[in-house]
Structures are given as structure tokens and as C-alpha cells.
């Protein structure tokens, strides 16, 4: 009986160790974001044309701005539009240049207007949306998230027609206009007092106060 009790207590200790270890891992991973959950978009400029033939030795050159997660998807999107424009496929065409475009001021918050077309389950719709972000890639990422949440739009059915910065006086959407107030303030509702580094711990014996008295 004593041996059985010792064996059970050892098993309980091992279970508690596993539980405590998993809790520590959860706390450590709480502040790390999985990169796969961030739909980071990139802006590419792709120039291409249909392959020259004897009938058409100088085919028309097309330049497009494509938003995609990587360059492979951007090239695929380019040929998707080329096939619709002039029936040019990847096997019967050529790329002249592929460049990634970057914002000139990626630390300044700006208003972005995006014109797009998407296919719903019933019809094709044209939409204009506005976002506030520090760069156009972030605004397009917000667009895809909103289209998936509010409109249940498939990412493959979204066609961005135009995307550009919009001055404050030309903005139309209410959630963007309310951020233009020069006296806008964000009051601190709950302020956590800082503790010196040597006294900081992951776990506390007592529930800490997260507000200033």
C-alpha cells in the first residue's frame, strides 16, 4: 500500500510538473505573434507583354501594380489579368521587369483610398474603401481582412483597381474623418505602474493592482 501511494504521489508530481511547464510555455508564447497569422502584403510593379511573333513582332507592353504576399503570387496575378486583357498566357508571354515598390514615408500615418471589384455569391460589386495606416501595404492588408469579415469575399475574387493616398479634405468615410480632429485625445483608463526590473516576476502571490489610486 505504501509503495502504491508513493507511486501515485510521484505520478501526481510529474503531472504537476508537466502542467507548470505548459503554463510557462503559454506565458512565454503569449507575447509572440505567429507570422502566418499576419497577412503582410507587398506592392510589386510588373512589366510584361505577349511573346513577339511574325504576325505581331512588337506586342503592346503592359505595366501593372500588383499587391500580393510574395513575388510568385504577384507574377501569377499579373498573368491572370494579361489573359483577360489580350489572351496572353505565361507560356506565350515574357516578363520585362519585376520590382518591389516601397513608400517614401513609412513612419507617417496617412489616409488611403482603395477602389476595388469583387465577386460575391450573387453578383460582381464595385467598392470604395478608406483606411488609415503608415504604408499602403498595411492598408491593403486591412482591406483583405475587412472584405473577408464583412463581405465574406474570397481573396482570389478581389481585384484592386486603384490605391492611393487621400488628403483629409477629400475623405468620405466616418471612421476616417473622426481621426482628423486636431484636439483628439486618448485618455488612459487603466495605467499599470512600472516596477523596477529586479523586482519583476512572471507570477504573483497576490493579485496586483492594474490601476493608479
Amino acid at each position: 500500500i505504501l509503495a502504491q501511494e508513493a507511486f501515485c504521489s510521484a505520478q501526481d508530481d510529474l503531472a504537476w510538473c508537466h502542467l507548470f511547464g505548459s503554463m510557462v510555455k503559454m506565458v512565454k508564447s503569449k507575447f509572440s505573434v505567429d507570422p502566418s497569422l499576419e497577412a503582410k502584403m507587398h506592392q510589386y510593379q510588373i512589366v510584361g507583354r505577349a511573346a513577339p511573333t511574325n504576325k505581331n513582332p512588337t506586342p503592346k507592353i503592359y505595366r501593372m501594380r500588383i499587391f500580393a504576399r510574395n513575388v510568385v503570387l504577384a507574377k501569377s496575378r499579373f498573368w491572370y489579368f494579361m489573359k483577360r486583357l489580350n489572351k496572353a498566357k505565361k507560356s506565350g508571354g515574357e516578363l520585362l521587369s519585376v520590382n518591389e515598390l516601397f513608400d517614401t514615408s513609412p513612419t507617417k500615418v496617412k489616409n488611403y483610398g482603395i477602389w476595388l471589384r469583387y465577386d460575391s455569391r450573387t453578383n460582381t460589386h464595385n467598392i470604395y474603401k478608406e483606411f488609415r495606416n503608415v504604408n499602403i501595404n498595411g492598408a491593403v492588408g486591412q482591406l483583405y481582412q475587412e472584405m473577408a469579415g464583412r463581405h465574406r469575399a474570397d481573396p482570389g475574387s478581389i481585384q484592386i483597381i486603384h490605391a492611393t493616398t487621400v488628403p483629409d479634405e477629400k475623405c468620405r468615410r466616418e471612421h476616417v474623418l473622426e481621426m482628423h480632429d486636431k484636439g483628439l485625445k486618448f485618455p488612459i483608463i487603466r495605467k499599470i505602474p512600472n516596477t523596477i526590473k529586479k523586482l519583476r516576476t512572471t507570477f504573483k502571490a497576490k493579485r496586483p493592482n492594474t490601476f493608479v489610486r
Side-chain angles (χ1 to χ4, degrees), residues 168 184 207:
D168 291 353
L184 189 65
R207 183 187 178 95

Side-chain angles (χ1 to χ4, degrees), residues 46-50 58-63 78 82 86 96:
I46 302 180
V47 182
R49 63 177 182 176
T58 56
K60 188 176 181 180
I61 297 174
Y62 291 87
R63 179 176 63 89
F78 174 80
M82 284 292 286
N86 59 357
L96 303 180

Side-chain angles (χ1 to χ4, degrees), residues 5-205:
E5 288 180 355
F7 178 72
C8 291
S9 62
Q11 277 191 326
D12 292 341
D13 291 342
L14 186 61
W16 275 109
C17 288
H18 283 301
L19 180 61
F20 182 75
S22 62
M23 288 174 62
V24 172
K25 287 180 181 178
M26 285 175 62
V27 170
K28 286 184 177 179
S29 63
K30 182 179 178 181
F31 302 102
S32 61
V33 180
D34 187 359
S36 64
L37 298 177
E38 295 180 341
K40 185 167 176 59
M41 306 298 292
H42 298 270
Q43 182 182 192
Y44 297 95
Q45 175 183 268
I46 302 180
V47 182
R49 63 177 182 176
T53 59
N54 294 330
K55 188 176 181 180
N56 187 13
T58 56
K60 188 176 181 180
I61 297 174
Y62 291 87
R63 179 176 63 89
M64 298 184 195
R65 273 197 312 152
I66 305 290
F67 292 94
R69 284 181 294 173
N70 54 56
V71 68
V72 176
L73 296 177
K75 291 178 183 178
S76 174
R77 200 69 176 158
F78 174 80
W79 289 117
Y80 167 81
F81 290 118
M82 284 292 286
K83 188 175 181 181
R84 288 187 157 202
L85 287 170
N86 59 357
K87 298 182 180 179
K89 298 189 296 183
K90 181 181 177 182
S91 58
E94 58 184 5
L95 293 177
L96 303 180
S97 70
V98 179
N99 303 314
E100 185 174 355
L101 304 179
F102 300 94
D103 278 5
T104 54
S105 55
T107 57
K108 182 181 177 182
V109 179
K110 297 172 285 295
N111 311 311
Y112 288 98
I114 303 177
W115 289 259
L116 68 140
R117 181 185 299 117
Y118 84 100
D119 296 326
S120 69
R121 289 175 290 183
T122 55
N123 206 345
T124 302
H125 311 274
N126 296 318
I127 292 183
Y128 168 74
K129 285 186 175 291
E130 287 178 356
F131 300 96
R132 280 177 64 83
N133 210 301
V134 292
N135 56 30
I136 198 166
N137 296 336
V140 172
Q142 284 180 272
L143 168 75
Y144 275 94
Q145 295 289 334
E146 183 168 323
M147 292 300 296
R150 287 190 174 176
H151 305 279
R152 297 185 181 181
D154 183 75
S157 70
I158 298 173
Q159 301 176 13
I160 297 176
I161 301 169
H162 185 49
T164 184
T165 55
V166 181
D168 291 353
E169 59 272 11
K170 291 188 178 180
C171 290
R172 292 180 261 172
R173 298 296 181 254
E174 190 65 32
H175 70 279
V176 175
L177 291 173
E178 67 183 5
M179 304 298 291
H180 295 165
D181 185 10
K182 300 299 182 182
L184 189 65
K185 295 181 180 179
F186 298 94
I188 300 176
I189 307 300
R190 299 175 67 201
K191 185 175 180 181
I192 303 174
N194 288 330
T195 309
I196 58 175
K197 193 169 184 180
K198 66 178 183 179
L199 297 179
R200 293 179 191 174
T201 57
T202 306
F203 301 100
K204 293 290 185 184

